[in-house]
Amino acid sequence: MNNKKAKKTIKTILISLVCIILAGVIFIAGAQVMFYPHYKNSERSFSITNNSRSENITVMSCNVRTVSPFDMFKKSWFYRADLIIKNIEAQSPDIIGFQEVTRFHYDYLTNCLEGYENVLTYRDGSYFSEGCPIFYNTSKFQLIDKGSFWLSSTPDEMSRDWGAACYRICSFVVLKQLSDGKELAVFNTHLDHISEKARINGIRLILEKLNAFGDYPCVIMGDFNAEESSETYKAAAKLFDDAKYKAGITMSGATYQNYGKSLNRENIDYFMVSKTGIDVSEYKIVDTTYDGIYPSDHFPIVIKIALS
């Protein structure tokens, strides 16, 4: 083959590759946004103000699944967003800890959830940065304190440590229950998916932050990225009680289910509660699907508690 023919062949191959890549991008983009008009015009909302009569405190932890180009068709956030609100409406939580929340999730959640205030800090400065916001029922609680910190040896500045694959953050609120003046500290986090050292030190750092506030009863919730056999779980269980085993009514099963593909896995999402000061009456995994569609790749978890 002479040089002229070789160049022509290479050019043809490159053009074909570019066309294939463009077709793939167009397909993925189309699969992502086909539900955008429905999403943009969604009128589904939930008001906790009309659903907060219970003496118990209902707490939900919900990993919403970050924005991913590979979540196409009915796995797209633009389709699933309504389903997450349906789950919230069914449980009427007074406190919600979300994980993997980008600005797109946050804008939608704040528009759809009425009667809540929230605290949020994004973990880094990237466009698709994630946070772990806490939403709380303003007709039931008064905010005493709030904030966020990074899970690192320099927690007051954007930083990562201990071999973490990415920046990890924890948000917190201290709330006073309006009915009786009792106070509760709530922490919401998403531990690293690679480094167990980072997960264990992150749990210890949360305890240090809690001790700095005083002797509050405490709920720590979130995606720990660790099963119960892990050193991460064992480290947390030494300091706190797993609400699943403290509850009078409880459930077992997977929390991360990968859109139904991993239903036999163990938990990686938890509620850890103070060993004293909190009574747990119920723990549940919200394993609801809608016409076979999963609202996220994680099932939300819910506890009902009372401050003692």
Side-chain angles (χ1 to χ4, degrees), residues 114-141:
E114 301 172 4
Y116 295 93
E117 290 292 340
N118 66 82
V119 55
L120 169 67
T121 301
Y122 291 108
R123 67 188 188 186
D124 59 46
S126 65
Y127 188 74
F128 288 102
S129 184
E130 300 171 14
C132 297
I134 301 173
F135 284 59
Y136 61 91
N137 178 357
T138 57
S139 65
K140 203 162 191 172
F141 298 106

Side-chain angles (χ1 to χ4, degrees), residues 4-154:
K4 189 173 182 181
K5 286 184 177 180
K7 288 179 181 179
K8 186 175 181 180
T9 300
I10 292 171
K11 184 177 180 181
T12 301
I13 292 171
L14 289 175
I15 291 172
S16 298
L17 285 173
V18 169
C19 290
I20 291 169
I21 291 170
L22 285 174
V25 169
I26 292 169
F27 173 78
I28 290 172
Q32 278 284 354
V33 303
M34 65 184 298
F35 295 107
Y36 184 75
H38 160 78
Y39 172 83
K40 190 70 175 175
N41 296 321
S42 174
E43 296 181 356
R44 176 167 292 281
S45 64
F46 170 70
S47 175
I48 189 60
T49 306
N50 302 322
N51 295 271
S52 58
R53 299 183 183 88
S54 173
E55 292 298 318
N56 288 327
I57 301 169
T58 301
V59 190
M60 172 182 275
S61 178
C62 180
N63 186 318
V64 297
R65 169 67 173 173
T66 191
V67 174
S68 170
F70 302 106
D71 289 347
M72 295 183 288
F73 303 113
K74 291 187 177 181
K75 289 182 182 178
S76 165
W77 165 248
F78 299 124
Y79 185 86
R80 296 184 294 105
D82 270 2
L83 308 184
I84 287 175
I85 300 301
K86 282 185 178 182
N87 272 349
I88 293 169
E89 185 175 7
Q91 302 303 320
S92 297
D94 299 297
I95 301 168
I96 315 170
F98 294 103
Q99 300 91 42
E100 299 193 18
V101 169
T102 68
R103 68 185 67 192
F104 304 103
H105 300 90
Y106 182 72
D107 288 347
Y108 184 84
L109 293 170
T110 52
N111 286 335
C112 292
L113 298 177
E114 301 172 4
Y116 295 93
E117 290 292 340
N118 66 82
V119 55
L120 169 67
T121 301
Y122 291 108
R123 67 188 188 186
D124 59 46
S126 65
Y127 188 74
F128 288 102
S129 184
E130 300 171 14
C132 297
I134 301 173
F135 284 59
Y136 61 91
N137 178 357
T138 57
S139 65
K140 203 162 191 172
F141 298 106
Q142 176 188 347
L143 181 68
I144 303 299
D145 200 355
K146 66 176 181 178
S148 300
F149 55 91
W150 281 263
L151 302 184
S152 78
S153 56
T154 52

Side-chain angles (χ1 to χ4, degrees), residues 261-275:
K261 295 178 182 177
S262 305
L263 291 170
N264 295 321
R265 289 190 58 166
E266 292 185 42
N267 285 4
I268 63 170
D269 303 270
Y270 300 96
F271 289 110
M272 293 290 174
V273 299
S274 302
K275 293 184 178 292

